[in-house]
Amino acid sequence: MPFKFLVSYEEALKLILENVKPVEQREKVGIEELVGRVLAEDVQANIFVPPFDRAAMDGYAVKAEDTYGATSTKPKVLRLVGVLSAGKRADKVVGKGECVEVATGSPIPAGADAVVMLEFTEKVGEEVHVFKPVYPGANISPVGEDIRRGEIVLKDGEFLTPAKIGVLASLGRREAYVYRKPKIAVVPTGTEVKDPGSRLGEGEIYDVNSYTLISVLSQNGAIPVRFPPAPDVFDELGKLVKILVKEYDMVVFSGGSSVGEYDLLAQLVEKFGRILFHGVQIKPGKPTLFGLVDGKPIFGMPGYPTSCLSNAYLLLIPAVRKMARLPPKPKKVVKAKISQRVVLGSGRAQFLTVKIEGDKAIPVFKESGAITSMANADGYIFLPTNLDVLEAGEEVEVTLLE
């Protein structure tokens, strides 16, 4: 029995993104666990950063006017009255004709208004010879130069990079509110599918898809929970669907999305919710389903490993990242020349896996059931529906896989 209607890849992605909602709930997380999370609050500075005037260079804190006229042949001579390192309290006062030795980051002692860099000085006993004049404020990071108290330094919805974690640390923050990660159930289907480590009987195969899917989901901001293979029994699968949509933000099935006698998932989604599409104009990966049950997104991914994983890259990752409030995954694209003539003409857009060798893109696709088509690939070429032939040597854009 053929598919009734195939949607284009672009239409499938549009339908998915229109119907996947970002998580709303937030949680408080310690600073050590914040990188890669999405901030769920505006962060307002409650202190100045730096909180005091500090030396920007190693050298000597001085009154700038005491250095005026200094030259390499006629230095100004100042009396050394103290040494101040970073983290120490500035308890010395710099008077006229005096200086205090300072390290980068140390507070500026009272009375000083500039720092002479160490390389423009020479220490002679208890005296410091200054060979270059400085102006007021030279080589000083003033209080609040980086962050002003009351300033909004990070905003709700920002993706937390290492640098932004540093901003939180500079304010003394030990934790922050972030949006929780979506919980996603991953369920293989089929009585022939067995867990790795078990003994295979005749006609049985090991489950590949749920393990590739949980890896993809983990890398894209979700908490995947893998379930044992579900049986091809309508009532049992229906009970499972009703339970999962109550407890999880999204449910991803692998297998059970082909059209035929055993296509139970489509029947269940139609009974309990709404199918938004069933069948996509992509090769491999045509038998892909997307729908809603109790408002929760349900994916039916193809049973063949290459089809399942390729559609995870094309359709599932954008959905999960939107739900997790992450920015779209940046694509790394390189240009190469296709190594051989490729005849398409399937009437579908094509996901062609390739290996990069020098400036050549070498097709490595075997067939939809071969997971090595992805494992041996460096990237893929996405070929549009209206393209029939790629000639050998033609330049192509290769999207690199992780």
Side-chain angles (χ1 to χ4, degrees):
M1 177 179 173
F3 286 90
K4 291 181 180 178
F5 179 70
L6 299 181
V7 299
S8 68
Y9 160 68
E10 292 78 12
E11 179 64 16
L13 185 58
K14 180 173 178 285
L15 285 167
I16 289 168
L17 295 180
E18 285 176 349
N19 288 279
V20 169
K21 307 302 180 190
V23 292
E24 296 290 345
Q25 297 86 355
R26 60 181 196 157
E27 59 187 1
K28 189 179 284 188
V29 173
I31 192 169
E32 296 89 350
E33 307 295 328
L34 285 175
V35 71
R37 300 298 297 270
V38 178
L39 193 63
E41 62 170 310
D42 287 341
V43 175
Q44 185 175 36
N46 60 344
I47 60 171
F48 290 100
V49 180
F52 50 81
D53 292 342
R54 63 184 181 185
M57 298 285 179
D58 292 345
Y60 295 92
V62 300
K63 291 182 178 294
E65 63 181 2
D66 288 342
T67 69
Y68 294 164
T71 67
S72 58
T73 57
K74 191 176 179 181
K76 291 292 183 177
V77 179
L78 304 176
R79 185 164 62 91
L80 183 64
V81 295
V83 177
L84 190 59
S85 59
K88 298 296 183 180
R89 184 170 175 270
D91 55 2
K92 294 287 185 181
V93 177
V94 176
K96 185 171 179 58
E98 297 178 338
C99 65
V100 169
E101 185 176 349
V102 292
T104 301
S106 65
I108 301 299
D113 62 1
V115 172
V116 181
M117 293 171 62
L118 196 62
E119 50 262 48
F120 299 123
T121 66
E122 181 182 2
K123 186 178 178 183
V124 181
E126 295 302 311
E127 294 180 340
V128 175
H129 293 201
V130 178
F131 299 103
K132 185 177 180 180
V134 289
Y135 53 86
N139 302 312
I140 290 177
S141 297
V143 60
E145 179 185 51
D146 191 9
I147 298 172
R148 305 292 297 176
R149 186 167 59 200
E151 177 185 355
I152 301 295
V153 290
L154 296 172
K155 293 184 177 180
D156 186 319
E158 288 196 49
F159 179 71
L160 291 173
T161 62
K164 291 174 183 178
I165 302 301
V167 170
L168 290 170
S170 75
L171 298 174
R173 292 284 298 264
R174 287 287 309 157
E175 55 194 11
Y177 281 103
V178 293
Y179 290 100
R180 69 166 179 82
K181 292 184 176 184
K183 285 182 63 179
I184 299 179
V186 176
V187 188
T189 62
T191 53
E192 80 284 4
V193 176
K194 301 300 176 185
D195 287 333
S198 60
R199 185 182 295 275
L200 290 180
E202 186 175 350
E204 295 178 339
I205 58 171
Y206 287 125
D207 174 25
V208 172
N209 292 342
S210 61
Y211 293 98
T212 58
L213 288 171
I214 63 175
S215 300
V216 166
L217 295 169
S218 295
Q219 288 183 332
N220 289 279
I223 300 174
V225 178
R226 180 189 174 274
F227 283 76
D232 289 323
V233 178
F234 188 87
D235 289 341
E236 290 186 34
L237 200 56
K239 290 176 184 176
L240 181 61
V241 168
K242 294 297 284 183
I243 292 170
L244 294 179
V245 295
K246 284 186 174 68
E247 298 182 2
Y248 293 86
D249 299 296
M250 181 188 292
V251 183
V252 181
F253 288 90
S254 67
S257 63
S258 296
V259 172
E261 182 182 355
Y262 296 107
D263 184 17
L264 303 182
L265 182 60
Q267 297 173 44
L268 287 167
V269 174
E270 199 164 38
K271 178 180 178 180
F272 297 131
R274 181 162 60 105
I275 294 176
L276 292 164
F277 65 78
H278 188 196
V280 186
Q281 291 175 330
I282 302 176
K283 181 182 179 181
K286 179 173 70 173
T288 299
L289 176 147
F290 176 71
L292 300 173
V293 173
D294 292 345
K296 301 290 183 69
I298 304 284
F299 278 89
M301 305 297 285
Y304 280 142
T306 295
S307 303
C308 181
L309 186 52
S310 63
N311 272 14
Y313 280 106
L314 295 175
L315 298 173
L316 186 57
I317 286 177
V320 173
R321 292 183 74 87
K322 180 179 179 182
M323 182 171 277
R325 294 178 176 264
L326 294 175
K329 194 170 185 65
K331 289 185 177 180
K332 295 180 181 177
V333 178
V334 298
K335 291 188 176 181
K337 294 178 180 178
I338 194 74
S339 65
Q340 64 192 59
R341 191 171 193 260
V342 178
V343 179
L344 307 169
S346 66
R348 289 181 274 157
Q350 190 157 337
F351 180 102
L352 181 66
T353 49
V354 296
K355 188 173 182 61
I356 301 293
E357 290 187 5
D359 66 343
K360 295 285 193 296
I362 302 169
V364 294
F365 182 77
K366 296 177 182 178
E367 46 93 17
S368 298
I371 189 59
T372 53
S373 294
M374 298 291 287
N376 296 333
D378 295 313
Y380 65 88
I381 307 167
F382 191 70
L383 304 167
T385 307
N386 57 359
L387 185 65
D388 290 328
V389 177
L390 269 180
E391 298 293 349
E394 195 170 336
E395 188 174 77
V396 292
E397 286 191 347
V398 179
T399 301
L400 299 179
L401 297 169
E402 292 152 308

